[in-house]
Amino acid sequence: MIGQKTIHSFFSPVSKKRISKDLNEDEENAKDPKKRKSSALEPEPSGHPPAPLSPDQLDRISVNKRAALEKLVSAHTPPGFGESWRHGLAAEFVKPYFKQLTSFVSEERSRHTVYPPAEHVFTWSQMCDIQDVKVVILGQDPYHGPNQAHGLCFSVKRPVPPPPSLENMYKELVSDIEGFQHPGHGDLTGWAQQGVLLLNAVLTVRAHNANSHKDKGWEKFTDSVVQWLNNNLEGLVFMLWGSYAQKKGAAINRKRHHVLQTAHPSPLSAYRGFFGCKHFSKANELLIKSGKTLIDWKTL
């Protein structure tokens, strides 16, 4: 009903096809007057074919087409999605799987408590421009406790105490980065604003039910995020901790980017290689070699 539309009502492949079809027909007809359809309301001048459109008119049609498609994509973009990221990932929002995913999450929110809150699902896309990403840390599933998840993997909102994996990250930072001190909280926004992409593979979860939104479409979407960065940027440092992150990052082009791999910081595996990996200082060394500014890991 008018006035009651949500973002989900705009995910319509049929509408996209119709707009694209109409615009394509207009452009083709403009280029080839013979293809123009006759109209009973606008009869052709007797004995004279229609005059071809001028280059300016063709350009105007092309501009209008792009504007219409841009408007379509904007209508499908989820609320809270960063502007620069929207341009890079626009194609995903009109795909059937993303429509199904959005409907699934909406249904879950109507029946259960889902984390993070809707306005924080895409926090990672709001922290810095897509072109400014320098380091990528891949997580798996959002925290499923109250007031924890806020759209950055491993990060929790204040004043929630840092979870065990993040505590182990801080322990490694103390030994790896000179002068690093435990910040007393678990909010990693300070890193994200410097160009550290903290991206979970799955972006939502039902409360107190880990991996409850697994295999619903988020993995495909976040794969497209990683792939865009892989294809369009150079010299990124990917930190792949644990087998899950390493599998997700398997397609990263090692000739264009740097990849650091070790065990997950979880208490179950941190002693199998995470402690002593020195990934934070190594990341900065690699960034400097790539001509990028380093990350101040102490700024939190």
Side-chain angles (χ1 to χ4, degrees):
M1 289 171 39
I2 296 175
Q4 297 182 342
K5 283 191 176 181
T6 67
I7 188 66
H8 318 299
S9 65
F10 292 97
F11 285 83
S12 175
V14 175
S15 298
K16 176 176 179 286
K17 290 179 180 177
R18 185 178 298 121
I19 290 174
S20 298
K21 179 176 181 293
D22 292 344
L23 290 168
N24 283 328
E25 285 182 355
D26 288 344
E27 191 166 1
E28 288 301 315
N29 291 341
K31 292 179 180 178
D32 188 353
K34 294 180 180 179
K35 293 184 178 180
R36 291 180 63 186
K37 297 178 181 179
S38 61
S39 169
L41 298 177
E42 298 180 4
E44 297 289 351
S46 178
H48 297 286
L53 297 179
S54 69
D56 285 345
Q57 290 172 314
L58 291 173
D59 286 343
R60 204 153 45 239
I61 289 173
S62 180
V63 168
N64 290 340
K65 177 180 178 180
R66 287 195 297 270
L69 292 176
E70 173 70 15
K71 185 176 181 180
L72 177 70
V73 169
S74 296
H76 285 72
T77 302
F81 205 81
E83 183 65 16
S84 67
W85 295 79
R86 179 179 72 83
H87 288 290
L89 300 164
E92 298 303 308
F93 302 139
V94 294
K95 292 181 179 179
Y97 88 87
F98 198 84
K99 177 183 178 181
Q100 294 166 7
L101 169 62
T102 304
S103 296
F104 165 76
V105 175
S106 178
E107 179 68 15
E108 281 283 284
R109 290 194 189 278
S110 72
R111 296 173 177 270
H112 309 280
T113 298
V114 172
Y115 298 128
E119 65 271 19
H120 291 150
V121 171
F122 301 108
T123 297
W124 51 271
S125 73
Q126 302 167 7
M127 296 292 100
C128 72
D129 285 350
I130 195 169
Q131 298 285 350
D132 294 334
V133 173
K134 294 185 286 189
V135 175
V136 180
I137 298 177
L138 298 179
Q140 184 171 353
D141 199 47
Y143 296 121
H144 51 81
N147 300 314
Q148 290 183 305
H150 66 124
L152 304 176
C153 73
F154 292 106
S155 181
V156 291
K157 294 195 295 184
R158 308 183 199 202
V160 177
S165 291
L166 182 52
E167 284 287 5
N168 284 339
M169 290 164 61
Y170 286 161
K171 289 178 182 178
E172 175 60 21
L173 278 156
V174 168
S175 67
D176 185 24
I177 301 296
E178 184 177 355
F180 183 90
Q181 295 181 344
H182 193 299
H185 63 81
D187 188 347
L188 303 181
T189 297
W191 292 355
Q193 291 173 335
Q194 296 180 67
V196 180
L197 175 61
L198 299 162
L199 181 68
N200 275 317
V202 176
L203 300 184
T204 56
V205 66
R206 189 186 299 179
H208 311 297
N209 192 347
N211 293 312
S212 50
H213 289 185
K214 179 183 177 184
D215 298 328
K216 301 299 183 180
W218 280 129
E219 295 91 340
K220 186 171 183 178
F221 176 71
T222 52
D223 278 347
S224 72
V225 176
V226 173
Q227 196 58 42
W228 191 96
L229 297 170
N230 181 46
N231 292 339
N232 293 279
L233 301 183
E234 292 189 14
L236 300 187
V237 179
F238 288 85
M239 294 182 174
L240 307 181
W241 299 335
S243 58
Y244 186 91
Q246 289 160 20
K247 182 178 179 181
K248 193 171 185 66
I252 295 168
N253 185 339
R254 265 69 169 176
K255 294 181 180 180
R256 290 173 63 96
H257 306 287
H258 310 287
V259 176
L260 300 174
Q261 297 188 175
T262 191
H264 194 277
S266 162
L268 299 175
S269 57
Y271 287 96
R272 297 204 296 266
F274 182 79
F275 288 136
C277 69
K278 297 188 179 298
H279 276 191
F280 301 98
S281 60
K282 288 179 180 178
N284 276 344
E285 292 170 2
L286 293 168
L287 289 175
I288 292 173
K289 288 181 180 179
S290 298
K292 301 178 185 291
T293 56
L294 50 74
I295 302 297
D296 182 0
W297 299 106
K298 294 178 285 187
T299 298
L300 283 172

